[in-house]
Amino acid sequence: MASKILSNKIYPLVFLTIIVLASVSLLVYINSITAPIVEAQQEAEIKNMLSGMFADMDDYKYEDEIYTIYQDSEIIGYAFLAKGKGYGGEINILVGVNEDFTIEDVVIISNTETPGLGSKITESSFTNQFRGMAAGDVALKKDGGDVDAITGATISSKAVVEAIRKAMEEKINLLEGD
Amino acid sequence: MENKNNNKKAGSKSLGAQFWKEFAKGIIISNPVFILALGLCPTLAVTSSLDNALGMSAGVIFVLLCSNIIISIIRKATPASARIPVFIVVIATFVTILSLVFQAYIPPLYESLGIYLALIVVNCIILGRAEVFASKNSVLLSIGDALGIGIGFTLALVIISLLREILGTGSLSVFGLELFKIPVLSASPMTFFILPPGAFLVIGLLLALFKWLGVIKNE
Amino acid sequence: MSNLITIFVVMAIVNNLVISKFLGLCPFFGVSKKLSNAVSMGIAVTLVMLLASLATSIINQFILIPYNVEFMNIVIYILVIASLVQIVELAIRRTNINLYNALGIYLPLITTNCAVLGITLINANKGYSILESVVSALGGGIGFTLVLVIMSGIREKIDLGETPRSMRGLPIAFIIAALLALAFTGFSGMM
């Protein structure tokens, strides 16, 4: 009788433990297959994005949150992430600059802005405006800068502009300090 | 929740007939979304586009099928008191596998489904089928049940996402291929429908329509 | 400090779990027929969310990240939530029987409440610290209670009126939710 009560209490625990162990080992095994693929993919994606900005790039290095872009072992520019708070949430932007710290190109990596309105920040008609600008020019026209805001999506446009300017000022300071 | 399958009575019918019965029931008579109102979170969250709806459906069918099979296999060894934790671990394992595979092989879908992929774990449909069906029936019938319910879920998601994508963007595309574009609507689409309020409205109206047509009887 | 306030307001109102993230819809439609039930459910969910966020963010920070096994988080989080619900249920039953009678029936449902698992995953995705996770859970829980209470208040009134037959029950509840969601979109862009 006593042993039956004991087994009634212990058996469920043993069974659950076996299931958890089986689950963990299966997951570790599958992760060991997929993890390298995911890593390679993320690297390819970054490389793809950077070479889209700097056509002449043949190598890059990532250090202190800045990608340094090389051509024939010479630095041709830098790229870094800028984060903005938009209308719907966070906006992530990749900013590429030349050695003279004017913008080569910007790419909106992710956003959760209103589809059809704020989400137009990803279109090239908006992002192309930034090309060639120095940090000081990056502001909406109504704030004395050179950027046309998207009609009906001033908050999203402003979020992008502010994020880019802030990130540029910060990183350029860092780069010039070296 | 109903469980019409009855092993004693079904003895007279062939296995194949039982399989088809379990399979067919999930699609219309006990459609998980429209009739049972289960698994609503993903139904609303991922139906803003057809791609997402199809991706989520594939995920749910995979997890439902795998967990139904495993739970049915171990049903005789599973102690009643540890039943729910065991089901949850089995389901969570398959959801993790799914999200690892999606992340490695279809990253865009993985990104756009976001946390809703992981939330398949708490999708009431899956735990519900484990508890009500797979833990009491043979493997073959559990497969039929999983496929039927899974296809019923897919059907619901596809109907909702078609309405939302067409009205909300004025066009329809599957995996990057544009199928058609409605001239006036696509120029100034009713964005409302791909936003959260549109999701609630579309499902509310669909439920009312099915009730009016007499598909939904109770309540 | 202002960061914490932002997280709280965003979680409670701007990105409300129910209205804009569609989490916790089952209790939102299931338990919102009466105001008193809605309040009890809201409190129970907030309590479990707070404890779950605390526990999972500690586990995340001291076990999953250092050993590089973050891919296990779904399995571990759901086990933590399931055990927490059991412990809370037991603790309330032993200490306060009145509270248990009020909240008891809702507790088992919370394990499969996507809002609880959802908030722990959101915290992990955003890389919140332990304190930030707790604040985000508090915001999420209060936001959940808020819309549940609003919804049940409206549904109590709707029951008194004449609703077309095919709209009764769930369909009209969804349409009310649509209007509520439309009102809440006014908050987006606030932060």
Side-chain angles (χ1 to χ4, degrees):
Chain A
M1 197 64 191
S3 74
K4 187 160 188 200
I5 292 170
L6 199 64
S7 75
N8 271 349
K9 286 215 158 157
I10 288 180
Y11 177 66
L13 223 68
V14 172
F15 189 80
L16 188 58
T17 315
I18 293 171
I19 294 283
V20 171
L21 286 179
S23 145
V24 167
S25 29
L26 184 64
L27 291 183
V28 168
Y29 172 68
I30 290 185
N31 185 58
S32 71
I33 301 173
T34 58
I37 301 174
V38 172
E39 208 166 295
Q41 222 155 42
Q42 281 165 350
E43 192 151 325
E45 201 179 319
I46 289 167
K47 192 169 177 193
N48 205 355
M49 230 161 3
L50 291 176
S51 58
M53 283 182 168
F54 300 93
D56 300 329
M57 176 186 92
D58 52 23
D59 195 15
Y60 72 92
K61 212 170 68 190
Y62 182 64
E63 206 177 26
D64 295 333
E65 301 186 340
I66 297 176
Y67 296 94
T68 310
I69 316 294
Y70 294 93
Q71 181 196 3
D72 300 331
S73 324
E74 296 225 357
I75 295 175
I76 56 166
Y78 307 92
F80 41 83
L81 279 180
K83 278 188 180 170
K85 273 215 176 83
Y87 193 74
E90 214 161 67
I91 305 171
N92 288 306
I93 310 150
L94 186 70
V95 184
V97 296
N98 293 324
E99 328 94 289
D100 59 359
F101 302 130
T102 58
I103 294 176
E104 179 77 32
D105 202 359
V106 297
V107 177
I108 312 289
I109 302 174
S110 67
N111 78 90
T112 48
E113 300 308 283
T114 317
L117 276 176
S119 67
K120 284 188 181 153
I121 53 172
T122 57
E123 289 173 6
S124 53
S125 58
F126 180 69
T127 57
N128 283 350
Q129 299 182 72
F130 291 93
R131 289 187 181 164
M133 283 187 191
D137 308 326
V138 182
L140 294 183
K141 277 204 172 134
K142 68 175 173 98
D143 297 329
D146 286 341
V147 182
D148 281 314
I150 291 162
T151 319
T154 320
I155 294 180
S156 306
S157 315
K158 195 170 170 139
V160 174
V161 167
E162 300 283 312
I164 294 177
R165 194 183 54 232
K166 236 179 88 192
M168 278 178 85
E169 281 164 357
E170 203 175 287
K171 302 294 181 206
I172 290 170
N173 251 338
L174 212 73
L175 289 165
E176 280 177 334
D178 281 348
Chain B
M1 280 274 224
E2 96 291 27
N3 177 18
K4 283 182 190 147
N5 182 66
N6 191 323
N7 279 337
K8 282 170 206 154
K9 263 190 211 162
S12 55
K13 275 193 251 166
S14 73
L15 263 180
Q18 286 180 54
F19 177 87
W20 284 111
K21 197 185 120 216
E22 296 308 336
F23 175 75
K25 138 208 100 177
I27 299 176
I28 310 266
I29 313 168
S30 53
N31 185 296
V33 176
F34 290 138
I35 313 288
L36 306 177
L38 290 175
L40 292 174
C41 314
T43 310
L44 281 101
V46 306
T47 48
S48 56
S49 78
L50 185 59
D51 287 4
N52 286 350
L54 290 173
M56 174 55 85
S57 303
V60 167
I61 291 178
F62 168 79
V63 175
L64 194 56
L65 193 60
C66 295
S67 61
N68 252 15
I69 290 173
I70 297 293
I71 286 165
S72 175
I73 289 173
I74 62 170
R75 72 183 188 278
K76 290 198 175 117
T78 312
S81 56
R83 198 176 74 242
I84 300 290
V86 168
F87 295 166
I88 290 178
V89 172
V90 171
I91 295 168
T93 308
F94 287 114
V95 172
T96 310
I97 293 174
L98 179 78
S99 86
L100 288 173
V101 169
F102 270 24
Q103 193 182 8
Y105 299 103
I106 358 182
L109 192 61
Y110 175 81
E111 293 282 323
S112 64
L113 291 180
I115 62 164
Y116 299 102
L117 196 60
L119 286 174
I120 295 178
V121 178
V122 282
N123 189 321
C124 345
I125 297 173
I126 295 170
L127 192 63
R129 291 334 282 175
E131 168 81 2
V132 175
F133 201 91
S135 63
K136 293 175 190 136
N137 287 286
S138 71
V139 177
L140 184 75
L141 292 186
S142 300
I143 293 175
D145 177 69
L147 289 177
I149 295 279
I151 290 172
F153 181 74
T154 310
L155 191 70
L157 254 62
V158 166
I159 294 176
I160 299 165
S161 65
L162 277 178
L163 284 170
R164 289 182 67 193
E165 189 174 337
I166 294 171
L167 293 172
T169 66
S171 61
L172 184 69
S173 53
V174 194
F175 302 121
L177 182 82
E178 195 171 83
L179 296 181
F180 62 83
K181 210 170 181 173
I182 301 168
V184 182
L185 196 59
S186 62
S188 55
M190 296 186 261
T191 311
F192 169 80
F193 283 100
I194 37 178
L195 297 179
F200 285 111
L201 186 72
V202 168
I203 298 184
L205 292 177
L206 278 175
L207 286 173
L209 176 73
F210 287 131
K211 220 167 170 176
W212 184 66
L213 290 173
V215 184
I216 308 175
K217 298 238 163 55
N218 53 342
E219 215 197 16
Chain C
M1 191 61 206
S2 73
N3 179 31
L4 292 180
I5 295 172
T6 310
I7 291 176
F8 179 84
V9 177
V10 166
M11 276 309 198
I13 295 173
V14 183
N15 285 343
N16 186 285
L17 289 179
V18 182
I19 292 295
S20 79
K21 300 249 182 235
F22 307 112
L23 300 176
L25 287 179
C26 296
F28 179 63
F29 289 117
V31 193
S32 64
K33 283 179 194 149
K34 271 176 68 189
L35 194 61
S36 54
N37 295 351
V39 175
S40 302
M41 183 71 184
I43 294 170
V45 167
T46 310
L47 186 70
V48 176
M49 264 185 195
L50 275 175
L51 293 172
S53 290
L54 181 66
T56 55
S57 67
I58 290 173
I59 292 173
N60 204 24
Q61 217 129 81
F62 293 105
I63 301 174
L64 299 186
I65 295 178
Y67 291 98
N68 214 1
V69 284
E70 283 154 286
F71 66 92
M72 295 276 206
N73 64 2
I74 304 173
V75 179
I76 291 171
Y77 287 7
I78 190 77
L79 278 177
V80 167
I81 292 168
S83 355
L84 265 177
V85 170
Q86 294 273 310
I87 294 169
V88 169
E89 194 182 350
L90 212 69
I92 294 180
R93 188 157 53 185
R94 290 275 159 84
T95 53
N96 189 337
I97 195 73
N98 286 334
L99 189 64
Y100 178 76
N101 288 337
L103 299 184
I105 51 162
Y106 302 114
L107 282 168
L109 295 174
I110 293 176
T111 310
T112 54
N113 181 331
C114 29
V116 179
L117 183 64
I119 204 144
T120 60
L121 290 168
I122 291 172
N123 292 341
N125 274 358
K126 295 207 169 172
Y128 283 163
S129 70
I130 296 172
L131 181 63
E132 284 169 335
S133 302
V134 171
V135 171
S136 119
L138 187 67
I142 289 177
F144 176 80
T145 313
L146 179 73
V147 292
L148 208 62
V149 167
I150 296 176
M151 186 71 179
S152 59
I154 300 175
R155 283 183 82 178
E156 277 189 358
K157 287 274 181 293
I158 288 274
D159 279 350
L160 301 175
E162 280 278 325
T163 314
R165 254 193 60 203
S166 50
M167 291 292 257
R168 264 175 228 165
L170 220 43
I172 192 75
F174 266 95
I175 289 170
I176 298 167
L179 296 174
L180 203 57
L182 201 55
F184 267 73
T185 49
F187 291 114
S188 58
M190 207 171 73
M191 297 313 283

